[in-house]
Amino acid sequence: MAAAHPQAVARKGAAGPAQVVDDLDVRAPGPGEVLVGIRAAGLCHSDLSVIDGTIPFPRPVVLGHEGAGVVEAVGEGVRHVTPGDHVALSTIANCGVCPECARGRPTMCRSAIGRPEKPFCRDGRPLHNFAATSAFAERTVVKAVQATPIPRDIPLTCAALIGCGVLTGVGAVLNRAKVGQGESVVVLGVGGIGLNVLQGARIAGAAPIVAVDANPAKQEVARRFGATHFVTASPGADGAAAARGGADASVSTTPGAADTEAAVREILPDGAAHTFECVGSTALVRQAIDLLDRHGQAVLLGMPEADAEATFLPASMFLDKSVLGCRYGSSRPPRDIALYADLYREGRLLLDELVTEVYPIEDFGRAAHDAHQGRVARAVLTF
C-alpha cells in the first residue's frame, strides 16, 4: 500500500531554497524494493552542495542520503528484511550482476551511478530521489540491497550516520588504503568524514595518527576519535603557522612561524604512510601528496567543484607514491554496515559522539544554517 503525504525536504527548481513540504505522495514498493519509514537522517555536506548548486542534480528532488528507520513494506522477492525490522540505508543501489558488482566493487556499479528514479509525486508531478535514497522524507522507497538490518538496540539517530559518513571515512581506511598496524596516518580536515577516518585509523591500529584542521577547537574531538597528535593550520598565504600537541601533551604548543607541513614533519620527519584529504581543497590535495613518505599513498575524499584542478610535482611520485580516489569508502554496504554495527556494540566504533545536535524535520532551515556555519560536525534530522 502506498504511503501518502509524508513530510519531506524538497528542492523545487534552480532558484530558491529547499523547503519542508507535507503533501508528498510515495508509491508502494515494487519487486526488489523496500518502503522504509525514516526515523532519523544525517545532514551531510553533499546535501548542502545540491542545495547551493555545487553538485548538479536534476530537480525537483527530495533530498537526503544518510538515514535509518523501520521497514514498513517490502516488494516481491525481498527476503532479508520484513516489516518492523530496523535498517540503516546505503546510497548504493547496485544491480549485483554487472562486472563491477561481480568483482565486489558495488560502488562502481554502472547501473546505479547517475540514474535517479522518481518514487515520489507532488501535485501530480514526479520528483527525483537523491543518491537513490531521499532520506529527508518521512517515508522513502529504496532498492532492497540498500536496506541493511541492524540490531534494535542501536539508536536510529546514530545508526543513520553509518550509511554515509562512517562507510566513507572508516571504509577509506580499511577498504581503500588498507592501513596496517603501526603505519602512520595524516588526516587533513576534521569534519564528519575526517572524524570517521580518524576512528578508522584507530581501529586499524595505525600510529601515529595526526589530525590537521584550521579550527583549534576540534582538537578535543579529534583526539577522542583517535588522533594521537593535532596540528592547527592557521590561514595564510604560506600555508600558515601551526600549533601541535604530542600524544601525551595536555596543551598544544605553537611552533613559531612554521607552516602546516613543517609542523607535521616535526611529528613525522620522513612523511606519512597514508594521508587523507577530507575537505575538497585543491591546496590540501597538494599538501596530502607533499606529506607522503616513500611508498606512501594519498587518498582523496573531499569533493571539490567539478572543474577544479590540482597540481603536484610528478617527480615526487617516483618513490612509489600513489594518489587514490575513493568513492563511498570502497565499501560493500551490507557487509560493512553489519561490521560497523558490531564494532559499535563492542564500544570500538563511536557513533553517538558523531551526533552534534538533533533537529526535528520542521527545523531543517536552522539545521542547514548551523551546518553551513560549521557549528555542528553532524546534524541529525528526526521525524
Side-chain angles (χ1 to χ4, degrees):
M1 178 178 67
H5 308 312
Q7 288 183 300
V9 176
R11 178 76 191 274
K12 295 174 63 176
Q19 61 179 324
V20 178
V21 301
D22 60 4
D23 56 352
L24 203 68
D25 290 310
V26 185
R27 65 169 172 77
E33 294 181 333
V34 178
L35 176 69
V36 178
I38 298 293
R39 299 293 185 269
L43 176 56
C44 178
H45 184 73
S46 297
D47 300 303
L48 301 177
S49 295
V50 173
I51 293 171
D52 66 22
T54 301
I55 295 178
F57 201 87
R59 301 180 179 89
V61 58
V62 178
L63 297 170
H65 66 285
E66 191 177 58
V70 179
V71 174
E72 294 192 359
V74 300
E76 182 183 350
V78 177
R79 300 285 183 267
H80 74 294
V81 292
T82 59
D85 286 348
H86 288 202
V87 292
L89 303 184
S90 73
T91 68
I92 301 297
N94 60 292
C95 70
V97 296
C98 72
E100 296 294 348
C101 288
R103 295 186 183 103
R105 300 194 295 235
T107 60
M108 295 294 108
C109 176
R110 297 182 188 276
S111 297
I113 296 176
R115 298 183 183 181
E117 296 187 359
K118 298 178 181 179
F120 308 100
C121 281
R122 186 177 182 227
D123 296 328
R125 183 183 181 187
L127 283 78
H128 294 280
N129 63 350
F130 177 54
T133 309
S134 292
F136 293 171
E138 193 172 355
R139 295 180 181 87
T140 191
V141 175
V142 298
K143 300 294 187 184
V145 72
Q146 295 177 254
T148 299
I150 57 174
R152 290 173 179 264
D153 60 352
I154 299 180
L156 292 174
T157 50
C158 62
L161 304 185
I162 298 177
C164 178
V166 176
L167 280 175
T168 298
V170 178
V173 175
L174 302 183
N175 300 329
R176 187 65 169 126
K178 294 181 167 56
V179 172
Q181 188 167 359
E183 295 181 343
S184 56
V185 166
V186 174
V187 180
L188 302 173
V190 185
I193 298 300
L195 288 175
N196 282 296
V197 172
L198 288 172
Q199 68 172 334
R202 170 178 50 77
I203 291 168
I209 304 171
V210 183
V212 181
D213 198 277
N215 184 355
K218 292 184 178 181
Q219 177 170 185
E220 181 180 353
V221 69
R223 290 182 179 275
R224 186 183 311 148
F225 275 77
T228 60
H229 300 72
F230 187 88
V231 169
T232 303
S234 302
D238 62 348
R244 70 172 178 84
D248 298 321
S250 58
V251 295
S252 295
T253 58
T254 303
D259 63 12
T260 302
E261 183 176 348
V264 173
R265 286 191 178 276
E266 288 186 26
I267 305 162
L268 296 168
D270 295 326
H274 309 274
T275 60
F276 295 84
E277 199 286 327
C278 303
V279 178
S281 160
T282 56
L284 291 182
V285 169
R286 170 63 181 267
Q287 193 169 87
I289 295 169
D290 289 345
L291 284 170
L292 291 176
D293 193 1
R294 300 181 180 194
H295 305 284
Q297 53 187 15
V299 182
L300 309 185
L301 295 174
M303 179 65 72
E305 293 186 1
D307 59 352
E309 296 182 358
T311 62
F312 64 93
L313 299 176
S316 69
M317 305 301 291
F318 290 105
L319 293 173
D320 285 359
K321 299 180 183 180
S322 304
V323 180
L324 305 178
C326 183
R327 174 177 165 81
Y328 203 42
S330 301
S331 60
R332 284 184 273 177
R335 178 202 66 176
D336 291 351
I337 289 174
L339 169 63
Y340 299 156
D342 287 343
L343 290 175
Y344 168 77
R345 299 175 84 196
E346 294 169 4
R348 298 173 60 194
L349 183 79
L350 304 181
L351 292 180
D352 303 88
E353 294 82 354
L354 286 170
V355 181
T356 311
E357 190 167 348
V358 176
Y359 304 78
I361 188 64
E362 295 84 358
D363 284 349
F364 172 78
R366 182 167 65 91
H369 178 265
D370 289 350
H372 266 303
Q373 297 299 315
R375 296 173 183 169
V376 292
R378 259 307 188 266
V380 173
L381 303 169
T382 57
F383 293 84

